[in-house]
Amino acid sequence: MTINGTTCVLLLAGSTEATSLAPRLASIPGIEPTMSLAGRTAAPAMPPAGVAVRRGGFGGIQGLQDLLARDRVGAVIDATHPFAKQMPHHALAACETVGVPLLRVERPPWTQQPGDHWIDAADVPDAAAIVQRSTFRRVLLTIGRQEVAPFTACIDQHLFVRSIEPPVAGALGHATLLLARGPFTVADELALLRELDIDAIVSKNSGGDATNAKVTAARSLGLPIVMVSRPAATGATTVQTPDEAISWLLALTSRSRT
Ligand code: NAP
């Protein structure tokens, strides 16, 4: 919906693609972007100029539908993280009901290269079960802080949890916490893996460049990675890059002006 030449765009954030899209959307004449953050990070990065920001959940599908109608949103770009389980489904359901065009931006996953030794896990609990059954001794968890609870069962391993903020208190009493914010270089990752004598890594298959140094480092040290697969896609129209998202939006707004 374009009103008086202006289209309100709701950008569902939580990925590097969203961070890069926000200022680009604000620079397009006739586009008024609102960046929506889930509100999990206590100190999120400053929003770029010209971008309105809202924080916190919408209150499920109905809450999002109400917001889309109230704010006369003309397009939704879902650039939540590839591992966001719920928000992409809510966005699809709400946009279909209200009749608002929706685009999902999701970078491609990593694929195994020669020298990689990946053990596929269907989801995080499956990764924890694989670690629990393994002979690994010292395991680096790089899956964020929200989903470490299934690893409480891994009592025979020394776990190192790397996250930006601490996991929920008490979630994983026997682990060593490594508070750190990426991006990390391959040299950083090699030094960490050697210093801690890590013999396996657990990672989500996030794809992209921001966190792939650990994959390169593991390959060069011959370390296994328990690689968690992505949640199932929603079926929404999907592109892989911010450039493609901008093209989609420009085509959409030029159609609605003619
Ligand atoms: P999720 O399962 O998809 O979302 C859970 C609930 O959080 C949603 O139903 C929604 O609440 C709210 N929510 C999620 N993203 C939102 C957004 N951009 N704006 C407003 N509300 C939002 O997501 P999650 O895995 O809990 O992740 C939370 C956030 O962290 C997401 O924005 C995601 O992009 C980001 N993130 C996730 C991961 C990961 O590995 N899961 C990694 C990096 C970043 P209501 O139902 O109340 O609307």
Side-chain angles (χ1 to χ4, degrees), residues 182-214:
F184 307 102
T185 65
V186 175
D188 291 337
E189 300 292 46
L190 284 169
L192 182 78
L193 295 170
R194 286 188 176 119
E195 184 193 328
L196 299 178
D197 192 21
I198 296 296
D199 59 6
I201 297 172
V202 179
S203 172
K204 292 178 173 176
N205 192 340
S206 297
D209 297 333
T211 57
N212 73 347
K214 65 188 165 193

Side-chain angles (χ1 to χ4, degrees), residues 11-15 36-40 54-61 64 79-88 90 143-144 146-147 204 206:
L11 174 65
L12 302 173
S15 64
S36 177
L37 304 169
R40 304 279 196 283
R54 66 165 301 287
R55 287 195 173 77
F58 299 98
I61 296 168
L64 179 55
T80 53
H81 189 268
F83 275 85
K85 277 201 224 41
Q86 201 159 274
M87 194 67 245
H90 286 190
I143 53 167
Q146 291 184 53
E147 294 175 82
K204 292 178 173 176
S206 297

